[in-house]
Amino acid sequence: MASVDKWHQEREAKLKSPDGWLTLAGLFWLQEGENSFGSAPNDNLTFPEGRIPGRAGVIQLKGDTVTTSINAGVEVLLQGKPVHEALLYTPDMDTVPRLSHGTLTWYVIKRGNRYGIRLRDLQNDALVHFKGIKRFPVRAEWRIKAHFVAHPTPKQIAITNIVGQTSMQDSPGTLIFTLNGQQYQLDALLEGEELFIIFADKTNGLETYGAGRYLYADKPGPDGSTVLDFNKASNPPCDFVSYATCPLPPRQNFLPIMIEAGEKSYGEY
């Protein structure tokens, strides 16, 4: 199926892009007060050796505000211009500023009530050594028609991420489908203009990533139908790098069958 192959090529290209998951080189949770950063082993935030000076500066967390000061003699860029002090995060920011030095870029992320620094490296090992993702053979029978049943009232489901944080997320409804004469269902989330499904199945930990996989589907048509194309089941970012905060499948999305379609576990990093 040419459309699945095209999707796969585009997915790998996105993974390898400057903002793709393969450039993730670090995730550092900030402590209240000053957090030193650089490549020195005694820095609070230790960046890759050889990519930045040993003591590059300080990132300060004060309540819900994050600022930084750069040490003299270290060139760090903000929007292409050298900067010595900068505001990195406040709750009312529309976009979070990104700092850079050489191949490195870093910026603030917030997960629950925790603040962290996400680090990207254009020469990250996961990117440099990426060899492509193995897949199950593409088969038409894994394109399955599903019926979408909207929740009669607004509903939230508990989603736990790989660092143990649980949040309640809006679920527009449930997808019901039949496979080999048996009926199954998956709760969906909404991501942009698509349905987002986090699911687990009996291949996890064998041929596929142990913590489940992701799948996107079009919003249902007027008749309530859509298609679950398991040929496009994809690995979470955590299968490629150690610094993502991947959401995990909710218990009700554990399928008691083997979905032998889509991406196999990458598992090298």
Side-chain angles (χ1 to χ4, degrees):
M1 295 168 66
S3 63
V4 178
D5 290 337
K6 183 175 183 291
W7 167 85
H8 179 70
Q9 292 168 4
E10 291 173 350
R11 168 159 162 76
E12 289 194 337
K14 188 175 181 180
L15 280 172
K16 294 186 289 185
S17 70
D19 273 337
W21 293 111
L22 295 175
T23 64
L24 285 192
L27 175 60
F28 308 95
W29 299 111
L30 297 174
Q31 301 297 320
E32 183 74 17
E34 292 190 348
N35 302 260
S36 62
F37 73 94
S39 60
N42 60 345
D43 278 317
N44 300 124
L45 285 57
T46 305
F47 287 12
E49 187 178 1
R51 298 281 201 268
I52 196 169
R55 185 58 67 93
V58 169
I59 296 172
Q60 185 172 50
L61 171 63
K62 187 175 181 180
D64 58 4
T65 299
V66 182
T67 59
T68 190
S69 59
I70 310 302
N71 289 345
V74 180
E75 184 177 78
V76 170
L77 304 181
L78 174 63
Q79 296 180 336
K81 297 180 180 179
V83 64
H84 299 291
E85 293 184 349
L87 177 64
L88 298 184
Y89 181 88
T90 61
D92 57 353
M93 278 184 167
D94 293 327
T95 58
V96 177
R98 295 188 174 204
L99 300 174
S100 64
H101 175 91
T103 62
L104 302 179
T105 300
W106 61 98
Y107 50 94
V108 175
I109 65 169
K110 183 182 180 184
R111 295 292 182 270
N113 60 356
R114 300 177 76 187
Y115 297 88
I117 295 296
R118 172 161 280 172
L119 178 71
R120 293 186 180 274
D121 184 359
L122 296 179
Q123 293 296 319
N124 194 34
D125 283 349
L127 174 62
V128 172
H129 300 294
F130 181 67
K131 297 180 176 65
I133 309 168
K134 294 180 180 179
R135 299 179 289 161
F136 289 97
V138 178
R139 293 164 53 191
E141 52 262 44
W142 286 111
R143 273 182 59 85
I144 301 170
K145 186 175 180 179
H147 182 68
F148 179 79
V149 179
H151 297 308
T153 58
K155 179 181 177 180
Q156 291 188 320
I157 60 176
I159 299 292
T160 300
N161 66 23
I162 205 162
V163 296
Q165 297 171 317
T166 300
S167 61
M168 301 304 295
Q169 299 191 21
D170 293 334
S171 173
T174 300
L175 292 158
I176 300 172
F177 65 98
T178 300
L179 183 62
N180 297 327
Q182 294 292 317
Q183 190 176 91
Y184 304 97
Q185 64 183 48
L186 294 166
D187 276 349
L189 304 174
L190 195 60
E191 188 168 305
E193 294 302 310
E194 294 181 295
L195 298 176
F196 177 44
I197 303 102
I198 310 170
F199 75 97
D201 70 274
K202 291 290 188 178
T203 67
N204 297 159
L206 299 174
E207 291 186 276
T208 64
Y209 184 56
R213 289 181 290 171
Y214 298 165
L215 185 65
Y216 290 88
D218 291 335
K219 287 182 178 179
D223 63 350
S225 69
T226 188
V227 171
L228 296 177
D229 190 347
F230 286 103
N231 294 295
K232 296 181 179 180
S234 61
N235 297 324
C238 297
D239 194 22
F240 304 101
V241 293
S242 302
Y243 309 110
T245 56
C246 304
L248 303 172
R251 176 56 57 182
Q252 65 270 30
N253 281 7
F254 280 58
L255 298 173
I257 54 175
M258 299 184 79
I259 302 293
E260 296 177 305
E263 293 182 353
K264 296 183 178 182
S265 180
Y266 188 71
E268 291 185 32
Y269 300 98

